[in-house]
Amino acid sequence: MSTDGISLNDSTSLGNDTLLDLLKTTTANYPWDGKFETLQKYHDYPVCNQWFQKDRVTFDGGTSIIRNVQLGENGSAKFTRPYAASSPTVVDVQARLKADWVQATADYSISRQEMMRNRGKAKLIDLVKSRRQSAMADLANLLEDYAWQAPESPSDDLHPMGIPYWITPITGAQVSAGTSGHQGANPSGFSTCGGIDASATANARWRSYNDVWENSTADIKYDDIKKITRMLRHLRFRSPIMLNDASIDSRKNMRLYTNEKVLEAIEEFAVHSNDNIGTDVGKFAGATVIKNLPIIWTEQLDADTSNPLYAINHDFFYPFVMEGDFFRETGPMNDRTQKDVFTTFVDLQFNYICTNRQRAGGVISSVAAA
């Protein structure tokens, strides 16, 4: 006997409508708990496990995602004398970050025959758990994969704005110019980044940090370690004490991500480091660290021949989610073409948003000079 009074042993009561009601009750009594910890395709899921915690998700509405960004000061500060005349001016120092919604979906199905063979509440819940977990695992893999990719073009309204969209790699022209720093303007092929033209001088603070490796083979040298430590130093901002509501200096959520090739090269460098090189690179709790920040192997970057190393401050990345579409489950339902199959759909309407490109991170990669 199930909790709603349906007998699993009475074959006369097990029509499709009854089984559908039973499955709906089972699904409702076993809600998804929002965790991804059993997923196994990849060794780690830094985006899913950090960004999709419920206290990190930003719920919103409307036809698109809109957020105000302050790009500078108003220029009114000056020294003055008693009785000096004031000439206040109004300066627009804000821009509007804008992003479109994208949708992701997954589904899982259970047939009438499977339900009949799994009579009993415990077996039925295990069946639902297994199918749901499989669908959520597939969805998590999709979200993790595309978090490490940029949309193909401004017209790409299918894919989210992943990390390489917000943290733009160095260009060939910048390599030729021998420059580095906060010069990551608009992503390649885009005229804006999040609706703000980062190439404009007035919007220079809406740029991310980038640099280039000393060579293209991911053979890490001391000069490369200096580039990493310089990037970390330039990503650290502390607000003046009088700005009580400004972003605080937070490094607890800063992490370094790279592919296995670069990680192994840094590990080899750490093995051969000595007092003459310093303590920038070391080992802690079994992990290789730079300036006490762990370097995390990111399998999605293994195929990237530019061998990027990203510094990501998770405090400035959020999944903006449409209110009511946060892994929303619809169903179970069936139709006339598959009358004995009950399908549940899981839907997410969202986009990945960086709220502060200046502090959010940087990337060092191998790019040919142009």
Side-chain angles (χ1 to χ4, degrees), residues 7-289:
S7 173
L8 294 174
N9 296 315
D10 184 0
S11 60
T12 62
S13 69
L14 294 180
N16 273 11
D17 289 343
T18 302
L19 288 175
L20 185 58
D21 288 341
L22 176 62
L23 187 55
K24 287 179 179 178
T25 302
T26 303
T27 303
N29 289 336
Y30 185 72
W32 179 61
D33 60 5
K35 298 179 181 179
F36 291 102
E37 67 269 29
T38 61
L39 308 181
Q40 296 298 322
K41 180 179 179 180
Y42 299 122
H43 290 80
D44 197 2
Y45 288 76
V47 169
C48 286
N49 289 334
Q50 292 227 30
W51 296 2
F52 281 96
Q53 296 182 39
K54 288 190 176 181
D55 61 338
R56 296 294 315 282
V57 174
T58 300
F59 292 99
D60 207 343
T63 58
S64 60
I65 302 167
I66 302 291
R67 188 181 180 95
N68 290 332
V69 177
Q70 183 171 319
L71 296 172
E73 300 77 37
N74 67 4
S76 65
K78 59 186 176 183
F79 292 103
T80 186
R81 294 186 175 90
Y83 303 107
S86 298
S87 54
T89 58
V90 178
V91 179
D92 186 7
V93 296
Q94 288 199 344
R96 303 195 84 185
L97 184 159
K98 183 177 180 180
D100 294 326
W101 298 106
V102 297
Q103 294 79 43
T105 187
D107 61 78
Y108 59 95
S109 299
I110 299 175
S111 72
R112 169 188 172 86
Q113 292 75 17
E114 290 173 310
M115 292 184 66
M116 296 288 287
R117 294 165 187 168
N118 286 273
R119 299 189 188 191
K121 181 179 179 182
K123 287 185 177 181
L124 187 55
I125 287 180
D126 284 345
L127 182 61
V128 171
K129 177 180 179 180
S130 173
R131 295 295 166 82
R132 176 188 271 147
Q133 198 73 3
S134 176
M136 296 307 300
D138 205 38
L139 187 52
N141 292 334
L142 183 73
L143 295 174
E144 192 74 31
D145 286 342
Y146 279 91
W148 296 98
Q149 299 180 40
E152 295 178 357
S153 69
S155 63
D156 183 0
D157 59 358
L158 182 64
H159 301 117
M161 297 171 171
I163 290 172
Y165 174 85
W166 299 105
I167 309 297
T168 55
I170 195 167
T171 66
Q174 291 169 342
V175 173
S176 297
T179 57
S180 64
H182 280 86
Q183 59 181 4
N186 303 322
S188 177
F190 290 78
S191 60
T192 68
C193 183
I196 302 173
D197 182 6
S199 67
T201 301
N203 302 333
R205 295 186 189 180
W206 187 243
R207 295 175 185 172
S208 59
Y209 190 100
N210 62 36
D211 203 348
V212 64
W213 294 123
E214 286 295 306
N215 60 74
S216 60
T217 61
D219 184 15
I220 299 297
K221 303 295 185 182
Y222 181 52
D223 285 344
D224 294 307
I225 300 300
K226 287 173 62 177
K227 288 175 180 283
I228 299 173
T229 58
R230 183 186 300 122
M231 175 172 65
L232 295 175
R233 182 166 58 250
H234 283 239
L235 289 176
R236 186 168 189 174
F237 291 85
R238 299 187 67 183
S239 300
I241 193 171
M242 62 282 290
L243 298 183
N244 296 325
D245 60 346
S247 299
I248 62 172
D249 173 35
S250 174
R251 298 235 311 176
K252 65 178 182 179
N253 286 323
M254 177 75 80
R255 299 291 186 273
L256 300 175
Y257 299 96
T258 191
N259 60 27
E260 194 167 29
K261 186 176 182 179
V262 174
L263 177 58
E264 289 179 346
I266 295 176
E267 288 177 338
E268 183 177 357
F269 180 90
V271 169
H272 295 95
S273 64
N274 53 49
D275 292 340
N276 293 327
I277 293 177
T279 58
D280 289 334
V281 183
K283 292 282 188 177
F284 180 76
T288 303
V289 298

Side-chain angles (χ1 to χ4, degrees), residues 305-322:
T305 56
S306 70
N307 295 315
L309 181 142
Y310 285 93
I312 300 296
N313 191 331
H314 292 283
D315 283 341
F316 302 105
F317 283 94
Y318 298 88
F320 275 60
V321 175
M322 173 67 75

